[in-house]
Amino acid sequence: MQILTFDNDLPADIPTSSLVAIDTETMGLNHVRDRLCLVQLTFDAKTVYLVKFNPDADYHAPNLSRLLEDDSITKIFHYARFDVLALSYYLEVTVNNVFCTKIASYLARTYTSRHGLKDLVKEYLGVEISKQSQTSDWGAPSLTDEQKTYAATDVIYLHALRAKLIEQLNREDRLYLAEECFDFLNTRVDLDMLGMGDIDVFQHSLGK
Ligand code: MN
């Protein structure tokens, strides 16, 4: 695995492909309060690009934004709802053509309640990954090697997981359901953006 770090945008000339795995790190779970600090991307599951946004960043990242808005590229996330919200909010992009390994896992792996990235990597790939740096300070002026490795580890397995999940969803004839959920993702993100994150508009009543 090779990790390349850049400030505020990707270089213009990186080699791309039709499948990219993406993750983000933020200061926390509230998109208004907690700024976007890092975007991790890999096209080939070997070279990982880390794009770091500093506290004074204006989030003008034309190369990264062009890639995110390229509908011909499939973007693989684990829990896309969170990452797509952060990317939409800070970079003002619309991210289409998404594959979410968490949604796929919910639909494929109904025999378990464990759908964390760590659980999927363990079950499908037999690899133990550490989630220890998850809650570290991603806003720090320079990231430690440990943080960079952790951040890169979060994207490096997503291509392989997608392939395994597609296989399992196909076997159970549920791939179409996953795809329809992915198509709904931006609507779900827009609701989150409005502050309606806790509301399920399909439920019978909203309680008191
Ligand atoms: Mn992550």
Side-chain angles (χ1 to χ4, degrees):
M1 174 166 88
Q2 183 192 22
I3 303 174
L4 303 173
T5 308
F6 303 96
D7 283 318
N8 302 311
D9 198 4
L10 279 173
D13 54 356
I14 59 160
T16 65
S17 75
S18 59
L19 270 182
V20 64
I22 310 177
D23 187 32
T24 63
E25 305 298 338
T26 63
M27 288 301 289
L29 299 180
N30 180 316
H31 67 277
V32 179
R33 184 192 62 189
D34 303 318
R35 68 181 178 88
L36 173 66
C37 299
L38 192 72
V39 181
Q40 308 101 280
L41 308 99
T42 182
F43 289 92
D44 60 2
K46 290 187 197 99
T47 300
V48 179
Y49 302 99
L50 304 183
V51 180
K52 193 176 181 318
F53 291 100
N54 296 312
D56 57 353
D58 62 1
Y59 294 102
H60 178 66
N63 298 326
L64 175 60
S65 298
R66 198 180 319 114
L67 197 150
L68 291 169
E69 292 205 298
D70 185 338
D71 291 351
S72 72
I73 300 177
T74 302
K75 297 100 188 162
I76 316 166
F77 297 89
H78 184 74
Y79 199 45
R81 181 177 173 183
F82 181 83
D83 301 302
V84 170
L85 174 59
L87 294 167
S88 307
Y89 185 76
Y90 284 95
L91 300 178
E92 294 176 3
V93 290
T94 303
V95 185
N96 292 312
N97 195 359
V98 164
F99 187 102
C100 174
T101 52
K102 182 166 275 213
I103 291 172
S105 177
Y106 284 148
L107 293 168
R109 298 169 65 251
T110 45
Y111 47 83
T112 177
S113 57
R114 304 189 68 90
H115 300 276
L117 179 65
K118 191 180 160 65
D119 304 307
L120 299 186
V121 170
K122 174 85 180 105
E123 177 175 322
Y124 288 123
L125 310 173
V127 177
E128 289 277 1
I129 59 169
S130 160
K131 295 298 286 181
Q132 222 166 31
S133 300
Q134 187 163 33
T135 51
S136 68
D137 178 12
W138 293 105
S142 62
L143 299 177
T144 64
D145 286 347
E146 216 180 332
Q147 282 179 307
K148 288 184 186 181
T149 304
Y150 168 83
T153 305
D154 271 356
V155 288
I156 212 83
Y157 299 108
L158 295 179
H159 287 74
L161 292 181
R162 173 178 171 272
K164 295 280 188 188
L165 285 158
I166 286 177
E167 209 176 286
Q168 201 170 349
L169 286 165
N170 262 326
R171 191 190 76 199
E172 301 300 325
D173 196 19
R174 287 189 196 155
L175 185 60
Y176 78 98
L177 276 177
E179 285 168 348
E180 285 171 12
C181 292
F182 303 155
D183 288 344
F184 180 72
L185 186 82
N186 275 302
T187 308
R188 181 62 270 182
V189 166
D190 285 349
L191 289 167
D192 289 343
M193 207 86 87
L194 282 176
M196 297 177 78
D198 294 333
I199 292 171
D200 172 4
V201 294
F202 294 100
Q203 71 192 340
H204 175 257
S205 65
L206 296 178
K208 38 179 174 111

